[in-house]
Amino acid sequence: MGVSSSRRLVGTLTQSLNSAPLPQQDLYLKESREEDLDQDLPEGDPDQVLRECEKALQRRPPRPHRDLVYLRGDVPHREHNPSIRVMQWNILAQALGEGKDCFVRCPLDALQWHERKYLILEEILTYRPDVVCLQEVDHYYDTFQPIMASLGYHGSFLAKPSSPCLDVEQNNGPDGCALFHRRSRFHLQATAHLRLSAMMLPTNQVAIIQTLKCRVTGRRFCVAVTHLKARTGWERLRSAQGADLLRNLRRISEQREAPSAALPLVVCGDFNAKPSEDVYRHFSSSSLGLNSAYKLLSSDGEAEPAYTTWKIRPSGESCCTLDYIWYSHHTLSVDSLLDIPSEEQIGVERLPSYHYPSDHLSLLCDFSFKEDPHRLM
């Protein structure tokens, strides 16, 4: 992709959002043909788009430097079983950042979309994930879908049925969850769009679940993205939403394989829940055999990071862990994790800021399939 075409591509970020909600699907869909249609799209140069981002951000301080932490030393490149890089990130809906969240120490001009969008894209393109799970996306159709598609990703988006973004004047449509995967790496087999339920009643929170087949290994796995109910006082609702998501994950993973060989799972999300909440305990004790990847950064492999979000609102300062990447620890290995920036790196303004676009930190994990003894015979 040349400079002029890349510039035209980035220029499309100002187009109006087609805010018509996607139809809600409670049943797992048959094999998607959308991904096959995407195969005909020319793949652009991510380095060129990254240079465009850097040019647009030259007056801003650099993002906090973060290192990849290799859990078993440097993991050698395995042609037969290469790592799968997954990013999880609540990117902060533009309408909420400017209109409702009231970040006390973040200057308003630091939240302007014409520059903040480049910070988000720069973060994603710096790490080149194979799978990208995003929450609070309210610029999907005019920003992320066209750009990510041009860079070789297939995307799926599901808006909240009643997004708080719609209450903000001059909003860009509803926010929701987005899931992208690299087309050259995976074949999309099926997609589920879920409106999460609690006590048999539909709620305003959603999830996307996809079955992907790795083109290198031939092995399949399910990846899910979700964003559970926010705020203190809603713990029971979050717990019920999490239980509903687990039920759907179990049904989907087992219907695609024999129950004794359920598909590996990767579940990403802003759970809006600290590790002390019931929904966290439900996931960690689930019969699906899920573990939280970021616990592996701790010395004993049992403690979550001190924070994945750090912000200051009129109600006070909030520094806690709400974001997770869950994985099937019996069938997947964690090769490396992106470390958490220090308090000094984050800065006294906390998040978001001139040098970081969201009030949540991105999480990044490299997974590989554990060797199946039956495949070695």
Side-chain angles (χ1 to χ4, degrees), residues 159-171:
K160 295 176 183 175
S162 182
S163 167
C165 293
L166 299 176
D167 298 331
V168 178
E169 189 176 352
Q170 297 182 332
N171 66 79

Side-chain angles (χ1 to χ4, degrees), residues 113-128:
W113 185 241
H114 74 273
E115 286 189 351
R116 196 171 80 87
K117 64 193 175 189
Y118 291 106
L119 271 174
I120 296 171
L121 288 168
E122 182 186 52
E123 179 90 352
I124 295 172
L125 295 178
T126 294
Y127 301 111
R128 310 288 169 89

Side-chain angles (χ1 to χ4, degrees), residues 6 37 44 62 67 77 89 100 108 110 127 131 148 213 226 245 257 301 311 313 316 322 332 339 344 366 371:
S6 175
L37 296 175
D67 291 318
H77 177 68
W89 197 12
K100 297 192 79 170
L108 280 178
Y127 301 111
V131 177
M148 295 295 281
K213 183 176 182 179
T226 194
L245 179 56
E257 295 281 338
K311 52 204 164 197
R313 288 174 168 151
L322 303 177
L332 295 172
D339 69 1
E344 182 181 6
D366 288 338
E371 296 291 352

Side-chain angles (χ1 to χ4, degrees), residues 58-112:
Q58 58 187 340
R59 292 179 296 179
R60 290 207 179 202
R63 292 175 296 108
H65 174 75
R66 301 171 67 181
D67 291 318
L68 273 174
V69 178
Y70 292 90
L71 301 182
R72 299 185 300 277
D74 288 344
V75 177
H77 177 68
R78 302 177 300 263
E79 291 187 3
H80 71 287
N81 187 20
S83 294
I84 297 170
R85 178 163 291 181
V86 177
M87 174 178 277
Q88 147 60 30
W89 197 12
N90 179 330
I91 62 172
L92 175 62
Q94 184 62 25
L96 300 182
E98 288 191 297
K100 297 192 79 170
D101 279 344
C102 301
F103 299 111
V104 172
R105 292 190 187 174
C106 181
L108 280 178
D109 62 334
L111 294 170
Q112 292 178 359

Side-chain angles (χ1 to χ4, degrees), residues 61-67 123 127 341-342 345-347 351 353 355-356 361:
R63 292 175 296 108
H65 174 75
R66 301 171 67 181
D67 291 318
E123 179 90 352
Y127 301 111
S342 66
Q345 288 177 304
I346 289 174
L351 305 174
S353 64
H355 64 274
Y356 199 78
L361 296 169

